[in-house]
Amino acid sequence: GEDVEQSLFLSVREGDSSVINCTYTDSSSTYLYWYKQEPGAGLQLLTYIFSNMDMKQDQRLTVLLNKKDKHLSLRIADTQTGDSAIYFCAETIHGSSNTGKLIFGQGTTLQVKP
Amino acid sequence: NAGVTQTPKFRILKIGQSMTLQCTQDMNHNYMYWYRQDPGMGLKLIYYSVGAGITDKGEVPNGYNVSRSTTEDFPLRLELAAPSQTSVYFCASSYWDRVNEKLFFGSGTQLSVL
């Protein structure tokens, strides 16, 4: 079956690095995503990684993918108070007849302390 | 840029009442979706549409109906509201670039059924 698991809460100090972890079960997933949800707002796509990559860097964000272990992580360098939000991991299946079927994790609440 | 607009932002319903959650997008996207987000959970797909006049069920369609008469609008109808439908509802639209689907979310509708 399809399932995405995340830890629910992470607290870090401003300036430290944050690492948010995610595991997924569907080995046929071709794209994996990280979304950010700020209070009272919808989800915003942060970054994504294609399944044939093992790392992607985008400014302060680094995504690591371990396909063997079906493990995805998001590292935020120099975490700022503005990074406080809920972060969702999601997977999608390319070519599925159920177009746009994104499976989301439960979300990890990142708390950044000054 | 309006993007994806949802109304209302908040609503309280009594058991058995009906209502329509409105969603409109101005990006000319063909794909549109309705998700619900329960506390501590990821998003679950209710219904989706791949274009005007075409809709299909997602993971949790029971108790809901949708229509897609235009590209811009994708309303979600609740008939006979039940407490189990208390949730935050997100509408999204998407487009495919060369290799990847990108979703844009509305800011959500918080619904309580009492």
Side-chain angles (χ1 to χ4, degrees), chain B residues 2 17 20 24 27 29 32 34 36 39 43 52 54 58 60 63 75-77 84 93 102 105 107 110 112:
Chain B
Q17 286 186 318
T20 299
T24 188
M27 296 173 282
H29 291 165
M32 295 188 75
W34 275 105
R36 60 178 286 173
L43 278 72
I54 306 169
V60 290
L76 177 72
R77 178 106 181 131
S84 61
S93 69
K102 293 192 168 62
F105 283 84
S107 55
Q110 189 168 324
S112 297

Side-chain angles (χ1 to χ4, degrees), chain A residues 1-18:
Chain A
E2 301 147 345
D3 199 9
V4 179
E5 297 282 339
Q6 298 176 239
S7 54
L8 294 182
F9 187 77
L10 175 66
S11 180
V12 301
R13 293 224 171 265
E14 191 174 17
D16 288 348
S17 292
S18 307

Side-chain angles (χ1 to χ4, degrees), chain B residues 86-97:
Chain B
T86 294
S87 189
V88 181
Y89 292 83
F90 288 99
C91 178
S93 69
S94 76
Y95 76 95
W96 283 85
D97 62 17

Side-chain angles (χ1 to χ4, degrees), chain B residues 16-32:
Chain B
Q17 286 186 318
S18 301
M19 78 162 293
T20 299
L21 280 67
Q22 301 292 345
C23 176
T24 188
Q25 51 97 4
D26 62 358
M27 296 173 282
N28 203 33
H29 291 165
N30 284 324
Y31 299 107
M32 295 188 75

Side-chain angles (χ1 to χ4, degrees), chain A residues 96-101, chain B residues 31 33 45 48 50 96 101:
Chain A
S96 166
S97 59
N98 192 356
T99 304
K101 185 179 179 183
Chain B
Y31 299 107
Y33 311 89
L45 182 63
Y48 67 100
V50 300
W96 283 85
E101 182 180 19

Side-chain angles (χ1 to χ4, degrees), chain B:
Chain B
N1 293 334
V4 180
T5 303
Q6 289 183 237
T7 55
K9 290 194 182 299
F10 304 95
R11 184 72 185 268
I12 298 174
L13 285 181
K14 293 182 180 177
I15 294 172
Q17 286 186 318
S18 301
M19 78 162 293
T20 299
L21 280 67
Q22 301 292 345
C23 176
T24 188
Q25 51 97 4
D26 62 358
M27 296 173 282
N28 203 33
H29 291 165
N30 284 324
Y31 299 107
M32 295 188 75
Y33 311 89
W34 275 105
Y35 288 89
R36 60 178 286 173
Q37 182 183 24
D38 298 323
M41 304 289 285
L43 278 72
K44 300 290 185 184
L45 182 63
I46 306 171
Y47 270 94
Y48 67 100
S49 168
V50 300
I54 306 169
T55 63
D56 207 346
K57 295 177 181 178
E59 302 170 81
V60 290
N62 292 343
Y64 306 95
N65 277 302
V66 292
S67 59
R68 184 92 183 273
S69 56
T70 66
T71 300
E72 293 79 19
D73 300 308
F74 190 40
L76 177 72
R77 178 106 181 131
L78 279 73
E79 305 281 3
L80 298 174
S84 61
Q85 293 178 304
T86 294
S87 189
V88 181
Y89 292 83
F90 288 99
C91 178
S93 69
S94 76
Y95 76 95
W96 283 85
D97 62 17
R98 285 177 299 154
V99 295
N100 196 6
E101 182 180 19
K102 293 192 168 62
L103 266 71
F104 296 80
F105 283 84
S107 55
T109 296
Q110 189 168 324
L111 176 67
S112 297
V113 182
L114 305 175

Side-chain angles (χ1 to χ4, degrees), chain A residues 4 12-13 20 25 30-31 36 38 42 45 59 61 65 77 79 89 91-92 94 111:
Chain A
V4 179
V12 301
R13 293 224 171 265
I20 302 171
T25 56
T30 54
Y31 288 99
K36 178 182 180 182
E38 294 179 347
L45 179 64
Q59 299 182 333
L61 305 178
L65 175 60
T79 312
C89 169
E91 61 173 342
T92 193
H94 181 67
Q111 180 189 66

Side-chain angles (χ1 to χ4, degrees), chain A residues 14-31:
Chain A
E14 191 174 17
D16 288 348
S17 292
S18 307
V19 180
I20 302 171
N21 294 301
C22 169
T23 58
Y24 61 97
T25 56
D26 196 323
S27 58
S28 65
S29 292
T30 54
Y31 288 99

